[in-house]
Structures are given as C-alpha cells and as structure tokens.
C-alpha cells in the first residue's frame, strides 16, 4: 500500500532530453523510477488534464503512482494516486479535506517546524529541499544536512530529498533514514534517461556494484 | 434552490474602478448582483485560495452564490456554490464527476451543438457568448442573436449571456427567455459600481422606471 519513494521523478518539460514528456517518463519508469510527479505551471487546465491522462496511462502500465503537483482538481479528474503541494499552494490541511483520506498528500517543507505542521495537516510524505543548488529552481532556499537530520528525527512519515540530487550525492541519504531521491534534471535532462534512473536508484540503495 | 442568474458578475482585477476586489464585489452585491464568479488566471494557488475565501465571506453575507472559474480545487477548498468551466478547462463531464451532484456546474458555450453537449455532460447553466465585442476577451468569437435563439430552443437549463453586455443591450435578452446577464466591465469598471449593477438589473427585467 505504502509507495516505494526511492526514486521519485519530478517532471519539467523545459529540461527534457527527449521530444515528448511521455517518452521521458516511459524511459525513467523503465529505468526503475518508483513515483512520477507531474509538475506544470501556466498551461490551460484542459492541456494539463490531457497531459495528466497520458501520464496516468504510462504510470499504470509500470504499476507506479502518479502524483500531480499543486492541482488537486487535475489529480482527482485523472484518478491520480495523489497530489503534491508546496508552500504557495492550497494549504495542506484544506488540501487533505478536499482529497479525502485515500489519496496521497505530499508537502514540500524546508524546516523541522514546517515538517511538523505538514504532518499535523495530514501529509503522507514530505519533500525536503532544496538540498543543493539547482537550475530548475534557482530561487529555492537550501536545507542543511543538519536540518534534514532534525526533520528526520521529528517526523515518522516518508521523506524524499529534492534539489540538486545527483550521482555525486545520491548515496548520502539512505544512511540518514531518508526514503528516496526526488530528481528532475538528473534523470530527464540526461541523454540516457533509463540508465540515469537505474544508476541513481542503485546509488541510493548503496548498490554501486549494480551500476 | 435554483439560483437567480439575472445579474451574474464575473470578476476581473485588471478592470476595477476600486482599489480592491473585495470592495468591487461588495458594491456589486449591494447593487443587486445575484451571482459572483471569481475569475483569476496565473496566480499561485495559495493566493487564489485566499482571494476565494475572502469573496466567499462577502457572497455569504449577501446570500448569493460564489462560483469559481476553472479551478475546481479552489471551489471545493472554499466551499463555493459551484464552478464555471470554459472550453479550455477540464472537460465538463469530468468536472461533474469531480464535484459531485450538489455543486453547480456552469459551462461556456458558443453554439447550439456545444450547448447540447454541455447539458449531456451535466451542466446546471450555460454562459453563452461573446455576444458583442469586448475588451475583456478581445479574442472571443461572437454568437449571433439567431444562434442564441437556437441555443434557447435546444436546452432547458438557465442561460446567461456574456460579452459586451451593457446598458444599451441589457433589455434585449429577457424577451428571448434568457435567464441573466453576465457582466464584467459594465459593472466593476464603472465609477459607481452599485448603481451600474442596479441599473443593469432593472434594464434586464424591463423596469426602466426604476432606474
């Protein structure tokens, strides 16, 4: 029932190495990504709905959950597994009321205080970051490894780290009790998306021999 | 139970004569507007949620329904009376499934064929337009009075007309069996919002002596 969060792909159509988002997600899923979060900003709702429906077919085929960023209505419309909300989206407690008990609720946090509030509001998992500098979100603040440790001690729900996750740092988190890596560019901007996904997943699990 | 659609205000923060949207809606409600549709594009979901919550307090005070444009999640989050969707939003039949049976579903249409489809999809009322040229939506197509008549004959649910509705044409529609005027600039861009609302409402009902 509880998803495997170990390699959590966040989409970004501006950073893909492939022609279509469908191809990128397909290859990432083939490479072992365990969750897909569809993130879109400033597109008409109909286009978002059509794109989300397309993603849902792919994630269903691979038996992995589809999470929709921000747009609870799109998530409900396509029957996604859940929604992921940031600090500029509908408040987490209200989001939980709208989606009911069954759908997954992920919340972006950057401090132990925000993490505790998110759990109180009904979050199923947390996205913590940005951990390292990233081109995807240049304005994101940074979370220190110390703060990440505090968050891990304060809350019991799954945590994925996001922001600048790469082959160089992918092995740092599992020993801290973190449940997964959330990646954007480190997978979909790579020339071999499938291999990038499988490499990161292996590194996360500490299986460098499998790479 | 069935709302009074006779003066249906659609918001546009770019066109207000007042400082805040709250003031504009308050004055329009005081002038007799019977429905408020909150329309926002490209603002963060949290801002939309906060704005919608504020509008809900005003419409509740006046006992009139609040409808949210496009964003079903915002509508559900603030407990709005319904949602209004256009042809670039989540498809009407899917929207109906997401909101359930109780919430109002309005659909924008521009032809008798679209009107019939919207009713099949579960629409409670239709917004038909654009009727006349308008600065609010300069790219909107026009619906002829003949087509409006066809729509009225084809469907039984309430119809509001939108697009360039003004004091000059407000009296044309009730004799055709139209249920209300949807207005943007003709109310909120006017220096006296309250008076503009009451004048349009009187003209719609054919009570010119009350103006």
């Amino acid at each position: 029932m509880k998803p495997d969060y170990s390699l959590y792909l966040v989409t970004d159509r501006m950073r893909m190495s492939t022609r279509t988002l469908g191809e990128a997600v397909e290859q990432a899923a083939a490479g072992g990504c365990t969750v897909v979060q569809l993130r879109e900003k400033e597109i008409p709702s109909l286009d978002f709905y059509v794109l989300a429906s397309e993603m849902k077919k792919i994630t269903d085929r691979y038996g992995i959950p589809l999470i929709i960023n921000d747009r609870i209505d799109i998530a409900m419309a396509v029957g996604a597994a859940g929604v992921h909300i940031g600090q500029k989206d509908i408040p987490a407690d209200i989001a939980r009321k709208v989606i009911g008990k069954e759908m997954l609720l992920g919340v972006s946090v950057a401090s132990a205080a925000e993490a505790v509030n998110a759990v109180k509001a009904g979050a199923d998992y947390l996205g913590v970051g940005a951990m390292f500098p990233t081109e995807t979100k240049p304005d994101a603040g940074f979370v220190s490894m110390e703060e990440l440790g505090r968050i891990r001690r304060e809350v019991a729900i799954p945590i994925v780290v996001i922001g600048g996750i790469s082959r160089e740092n992918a092995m740092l988190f599992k020993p801290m009790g973190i449940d997964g890596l959330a990646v954007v560019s480190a997978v979909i901007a790579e020339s071999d998306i499938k291999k990038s996904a499988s490499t990161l997943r292996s590194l996360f699990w500490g299986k460098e021999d499998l790479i």
Side-chain angles (χ1 to χ4, degrees), chain A:
Chain A
M1 193 65 206
K2 197 164 133 180
D4 172 357
Y5 288 100
S6 59
L7 191 63
Y8 180 118
L9 179 73
V10 180
T11 67
D12 185 338
R13 281 193 295 161
M14 300 298 107
R15 299 189 170 273
M16 297 189 303
S17 62
T18 54
R19 212 160 33 84
T20 71
L21 188 59
E23 283 170 12
V25 168
E26 181 90 42
Q27 290 171 28
C33 101
T34 59
V35 180
V36 174
Q37 180 196 119
L38 178 62
R39 182 165 68 184
E40 292 290 332
K41 296 286 177 194
E42 293 169 19
I43 64 169
S45 293
L46 179 57
D47 296 350
F48 201 163
Y49 169 75
V50 169
L51 199 57
S53 304
E54 191 194 329
M55 294 305 117
K56 181 67 163 49
K57 282 181 195 154
I58 300 170
T59 54
D60 279 356
R61 208 176 326 121
Y62 284 89
I64 59 178
L66 174 68
I67 307 271
I68 306 293
N69 184 285
D70 180 14
R71 292 291 299 268
I72 300 168
D73 49 355
I74 302 290
M76 294 173 79
V78 303
V83 289
H84 187 91
I85 61 169
Q87 302 288 330
K88 289 181 184 172
D89 300 335
I90 291 177
D93 56 334
I94 305 293
R96 171 54 78 197
K97 279 183 200 162
V98 173
I99 63 175
K101 291 181 181 175
E102 298 304 316
M103 280 175 71
L104 293 172
L105 178 64
V107 179
S108 295
V109 302
S111 68
E114 284 180 0
V116 169
N117 283 338
V119 171
K120 279 183 195 158
D124 289 300
Y125 75 90
L126 301 177
V128 177
M131 298 307 302
F132 308 107
T134 152
E135 279 180 48
T136 313
K137 284 204 168 184
D139 58 338
F142 297 116
V143 176
S144 67
M145 292 301 262
E146 289 70 28
E147 191 67 17
L148 178 63
R150 266 192 291 278
I151 295 172
R152 180 65 295 174
R153 287 191 297 278
E154 293 277 345
V155 305
I157 64 174
I159 292 174
V160 297
V161 283
I162 188 165
I165 304 300
S166 69
R167 264 168 274 208
E168 285 68 45
N169 55 46
M171 68 294 293
L172 297 176
F173 299 100
K174 194 159 182 307
M176 296 179 69
I178 300 306
D179 302 87
L181 308 176
V183 290
V184 191
S185 303
V187 169
I188 64 170
E190 294 290 312
S191 57
D192 189 336
I193 289 178
K194 185 177 167 182
K195 185 157 172 283
S196 301
S198 65
T199 299
L200 280 168
R201 197 177 167 186
S202 297
L203 285 167
F204 174 75
W205 288 105
K207 298 172 187 166
E208 291 178 65
D209 53 315
L210 294 181
I211 299 162

